[in-house]
Amino acid sequence: MKYTKLMSMSLLVLMLAACGDVETKTPTSAPTQQEVDEEVDDDKGTEEVNEANEAEVSGEETAPAKPLYTLNEANWSFKPIANAPSKVVLLTIDDAPDKRSLEMAKTLKSLNAPAIFFVNGHFLDSDEKKAVLKEIHNMGFAIGNHTQTHADLKKLTEEEQRAEIMQVSETIEAIIGEKPKFFRAPFGSNTDFSKALVKEQGMLLMNWTYGYDWESKYQDANALKDIMVNTEYLTNGANLLMHDRVWTAEALGGIVEGLRAKGYGMIDPATIQGVTGQ
């Protein structure tokens, strides 16, 4: 019996010692940024962005994201803050929700690719379209203001501009429970008044770096996919403009896959500096 007790106590001591070794191991330090090649670091960062996108587009509630990107108004692209990945693009869809927005949102969600859907208020004139917008928002996509009637703001009075911007913002808030955080003027046509109003409303004003789907020669899925991925304007942080169009919806999956094949991640709009709450 004494021998058995001694053996049991010895085993217990050994087990506790082993547990202590596991708990007190010091993790290997990660290499510093200077110790890794810039291209490798970009690839690693792109993987991290894509992993983060999976949670964002799933529609699951997550903690507020830290600002990782800031807008560069020189070409409306995005620059990384601190150590955020630089090889990324922002996907945006204008004229939502016309005919293909829900289909496009489902394509993007299946690919874990976040985007901003910029809304025209005149597309929200039925309960069916309001339900579509709510569903897109519930999928985890950001909703932006693209004015009520897609008017050229430079041709309107200040009161007319206010109505174009405020009416759609109020409608969006009534549908999804929050105000839009982004604004894009039709045709990229802004005025001093509209810029001030957008800022007052806590929205980030943006245009785009490049887009092609309104040009006749790119109103074809294959041609559009090719130019969106292979254009000379594709640079780090590019702000990609697309629209709710049949050919764009058909090309969208290939565009995302083509960009990723080139090593580009997708910016989560919630990580852009300057939107409400940041």
Side-chain angles (χ1 to χ4, degrees):
M1 289 291 291
K2 287 182 180 179
Y3 176 75
T4 303
K5 287 181 179 178
L6 286 170
M7 287 292 291
S8 298
M9 295 205 43
S10 298
L11 287 170
L12 179 60
V13 169
L14 287 169
M15 289 172 68
L16 289 171
C19 290
D21 287 343
V22 171
E23 291 172 357
T24 57
K25 282 182 181 177
T26 303
T28 304
S29 298
T32 64
Q33 190 172 1
Q34 290 75 22
E35 292 171 331
V36 295
D37 180 80
E38 182 179 353
E39 184 176 351
V40 174
D41 188 60
D42 265 350
D43 290 342
K44 179 175 180 291
T46 299
E47 291 174 6
E48 291 171 352
V49 168
N50 289 337
E51 288 173 2
N53 290 343
E54 292 183 14
E56 171 65 19
V57 181
S58 70
E60 297 177 0
E61 290 188 12
T62 56
K66 293 181 183 177
L68 298 177
Y69 298 93
T70 183
L71 181 63
N72 174 14
E73 294 186 11
N75 65 352
W76 302 100
S77 65
F78 293 89
K79 297 187 292 187
I81 299 171
N83 294 321
S86 60
K87 197 168 185 180
V88 292
V89 296
L90 176 71
L91 303 178
T92 69
I93 313 295
D94 280 13
D95 300 347
D98 188 2
K99 297 179 176 66
R100 299 284 177 158
S101 288
L102 185 56
E103 174 189 341
M104 296 171 84
K106 289 179 178 179
T107 296
L108 292 169
K109 184 175 180 181
S110 72
L111 295 169
N112 296 313
I116 304 172
F117 282 78
F118 282 96
V119 170
N120 291 129
H122 64 84
F123 289 129
L124 299 172
D125 58 357
S126 70
D127 290 340
E128 180 183 1
K129 287 297 182 69
K130 291 175 182 177
V132 166
L133 181 63
K134 188 173 180 63
E135 185 172 354
I136 292 171
H137 174 259
N138 288 343
M139 286 184 195
F141 294 102
I143 305 300
N145 182 324
H146 196 42
T147 74
Q148 179 65 25
T149 67
H150 205 272
D152 184 342
L153 296 178
K154 289 183 178 177
K155 296 180 180 179
L156 304 180
T157 66
E158 290 185 355
E159 284 308 306
E160 288 170 335
Q161 291 177 59
R162 179 183 295 277
E164 281 285 334
I165 295 168
M166 295 303 298
Q167 186 176 347
V168 67
S169 282
E170 290 165 3
T171 303
I172 289 171
E173 184 177 16
I175 295 170
I176 69 173
E178 62 183 58
K179 295 179 180 179
K181 298 179 174 66
F182 302 92
F183 176 81
R184 176 180 278 154
F187 319 109
S189 182
N190 295 287
T191 68
D192 290 341
F193 177 82
S194 68
K195 290 176 183 178
L197 180 59
V198 165
K199 184 176 181 180
E200 174 190 303
Q201 291 298 310
M203 292 185 283
L204 181 66
L205 183 146
M206 65 168 71
N207 281 348
W208 58 89
T209 306
Y210 71 85
Y212 295 92
D213 64 358
W214 61 89
E215 296 183 29
S216 58
K217 64 180 177 179
Y218 298 118
Q219 292 178 10
D220 168 84
N222 289 327
L224 180 61
K225 178 176 66 175
D226 180 68
I227 192 66
M228 290 296 289
V229 173
N230 297 310
T231 177
E232 63 183 303
Y233 299 111
L234 174 58
T235 56
N236 290 355
N239 186 339
L240 277 54
L241 170 61
M242 294 173 280
H243 293 80
D244 180 321
R245 302 287 187 272
V246 173
W247 48 89
T248 311
E250 292 173 353
L252 187 56
I255 291 170
V256 172
E257 290 168 351
L259 290 167
R260 284 182 170 158
K262 285 192 165 186
Y264 286 90
M266 312 294 155
I267 295 175
D268 172 1
T271 64
I272 296 173
Q273 187 176 58
V275 299
T276 303
Q278 294 183 350

